[in-house]
């Protein structure tokens, strides 16, 4: 093994040891399942903001976004980033405080399915059952994609088998999450967001220098048809460009709608120690996510400039997603210190994946142990935590099995799962918080119609192309909203006790 590989491995091992230590420390603060799954509602504003964004961004920030910009220019990556930034801001501004207050009023709900059950006084258990099943359906494959991304990274770096690398990554993620639960996941996500930031900055500075300066980078980008405009996309194969029309822009912006239904992000709002600190969290989150996504897009442009000078090979197709890995590998050849920095960059990619996988794993396990099985295994003492940890391990095993295929598509799974949660839960969350006439029948209709429409649009409508080629989240979200209103108005109004709780959560 070369000196550069050894330095990279040292950086990554130090990082992995750190997150395991955090899990051990946080395990001492878990006294019951409320602590394990919601951290005892004692997150600070900075951890709330940064862990929410780190668990949201995943490896998409350091691999997917630069890769899209590298291949097709700023339009696709730019509109997606704008949609996500707007979604982040509105989610913190509109949803966060009301959800924190309402989950406390609604019998101290510690998971999203529990909130739906308690919000509508659904004694039949239908809402909690359907929502928990939706979480399991989408989150286990989502977690598996994270395990797979980690496995591919280690395998390509150190030449070990994909399966071995994937299992080792899964063991580390499962280790600190099982030990420390939600508090460990949130704390490590906060640290991972810092590592991701360092990785972005180092890659950008080194990349610009290697490409011959920012002027050379921009001159190269300007020479490519449709590369630097928000209303056209560059075709790397033909060298030409295609129009980026209004329907495509709206469809891409619709990514922002997903935030309203993401369990692992909404849990951060529920867990903050003081709802009045969410304003600070909002400012921190929007500043970080906006700057980080802008830098990620710029790295894609810089990477293409490096390819034009021959500093790195020209990347085609999905290989463009490895642009930061290629830049880190080039950096590692410049000596011991640069090699250690390259290790930090690669640890940043690992961190971005782990920060999402741990939150998804925790949400999936809570859906089974706390929501599906409920009182059959849960307790308010240490015995409940043991049951929660066992459930988490079982969920992880299923995710590992799904991740055994090294050829699995990570980002297609992420896109589909994001749409699934956004359409199934997003409208229900919004109407639950802000429309008192919403009843359990409307909530159930919205949840089911949104989830079903994701599959219908993805596999039956969107393949027709043309005007129908819209990201499935947008039409499914609209259908769910319509169904919530129509069914709620067509069925009996909520009783007075539900209205009283709604008014209390609204501060009336």
């Amino acid at each position: 093994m070369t000196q550069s590989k050894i330095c990279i491995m040292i950086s990554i091992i130090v990082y992995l040891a750190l997150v395991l230590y955090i899990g051990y420390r946080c395990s001492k603060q878990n006294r019951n399942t409320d602590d394990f799954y919601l951290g005892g509602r004692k997150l600070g504003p900075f951890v709330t903001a940064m862990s929410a964004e780190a668990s949201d961004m995943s490896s998409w920030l350091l691999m997917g976004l630069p890769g899209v910009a590298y291949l097709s220019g700023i339009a696709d990556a730019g509109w997606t980033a704008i949609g996500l930034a707007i979604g982040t801001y509105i989610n913190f501004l509109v949803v966060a405080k009301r959800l924190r207050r309402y989950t406390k009023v609604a019998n101290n709900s510690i998971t999203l399915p529990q909130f739906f059950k308690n919000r509508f006084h659904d004694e039949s258990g239908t809402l909690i059952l359907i929502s928990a099943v939706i979480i399991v359906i989408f989150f286990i494959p989502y977690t598996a994609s994270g395990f797979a991304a980690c496995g591919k990274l280690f395998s390509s770096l150190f030449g070990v088998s994909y399966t071995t690398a994937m299992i080792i990554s899964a063991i580390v993620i499962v280790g600190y999450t099982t030990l420390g639960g939600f508090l460990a996941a949130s704390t490590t996500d906060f640290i991972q967001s810092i590592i991701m930031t360092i990785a972005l900055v180092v890659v950008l500075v080194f990349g610009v220098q290697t490409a011959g300066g920012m002027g050379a980078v921009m001159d190269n980008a300007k020479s490519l048809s449709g590369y630097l405009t928000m209303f056209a996309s560059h075709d790397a194969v033909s060298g030409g460009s295609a129009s980026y029309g209004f329907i495509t822009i709206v469809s891409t912006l619709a990514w922002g709608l997903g935030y309203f239904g993401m369990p692992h992000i909404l849990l951060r709002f529920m867990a903050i120690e003081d709802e009045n600190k969410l304003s600070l969290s909002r400012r921190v989150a929007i500043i970080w996510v906006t700057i980080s996504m802008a830098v990620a897009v710029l790295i894609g442009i810089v990477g293409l400039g490096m390819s034009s000078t021959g500093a790195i090979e020209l990347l085609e197709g999905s290989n463009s997603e490895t642009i930061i890995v290629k830049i880190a590998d080039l950096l590692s050849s410049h000596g011991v210190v640069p090699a250690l920095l390259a290790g930090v960059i690669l640890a940043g990619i690992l961190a971005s994946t782990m920060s999402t996988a741990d939150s998804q794993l925790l949400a999936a396990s809570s859906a089974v142990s706390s929501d599906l099985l409920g009182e059959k295994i849960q307790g308010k003492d240490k015995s409940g935590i043991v049951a929660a940890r066992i459930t988490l391990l079982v969920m992880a095993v299923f995710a590992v099995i799904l991740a055994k295929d090294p050829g699995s598509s990570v980002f297609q799974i992420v896109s589909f799962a994001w749409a699934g949660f956004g359409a199934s839960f997003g409208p229900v969350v919004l109407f639950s918080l802000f429309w008192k006439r919403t009843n359990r029948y409307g909530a159930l209709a919205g949840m089911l119609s949104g989830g079903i429409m994701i599959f219908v649009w993805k596999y039956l409508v969107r393949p027709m192309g043309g005007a129908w080629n819209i990201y499935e989240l947008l039409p499914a979200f609209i259908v769910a909203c319509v169904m919530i209103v129509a069914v709620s108005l067509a069925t009996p109004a909520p009783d007075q006790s539900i209205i009283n709780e709604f008014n209390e959560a609204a501060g009336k």
Side-chain angles (χ1 to χ4, degrees), residues 128-129 132 365-378 387 391:
I128 199 170
L129 173 65
S365 66
S366 70
V368 174
S369 68
S370 183
D371 299 328
L372 287 181
L373 300 181
E375 294 178 357
K376 294 179 181 178
I377 67 170
Q378 284 295 321
T391 308

Side-chain angles (χ1 to χ4, degrees), residues 50 68 151 159 204 236 262 283 299 329 335-336 373 381 383 443 461 503:
M50 300 303 284
V68 169
L204 179 62
M262 292 298 135
R283 297 187 191 101
I299 286 173
D329 189 49
V336 174
L373 300 181
D381 54 14
S383 64
V461 179
N503 290 335

Side-chain angles (χ1 to χ4, degrees), residues 91 94-95 260 425-435 477 481:
N91 207 26
V94 175
V95 173
F260 305 125
F425 291 154
V428 180
V429 168
L430 292 175
F431 279 92
S432 296
L433 296 178
F434 298 104
W435 191 40
F477 195 96
C481 289

Side-chain angles (χ1 to χ4, degrees), residues 115-130:
F115 169 64
F116 293 146
K117 172 183 179 294
N118 296 332
R119 159 67 173 85
F120 296 105
H121 294 191
D122 180 25
E123 300 304 323
S124 70
T126 306
L127 280 175
I128 199 170
L129 173 65
I130 297 300

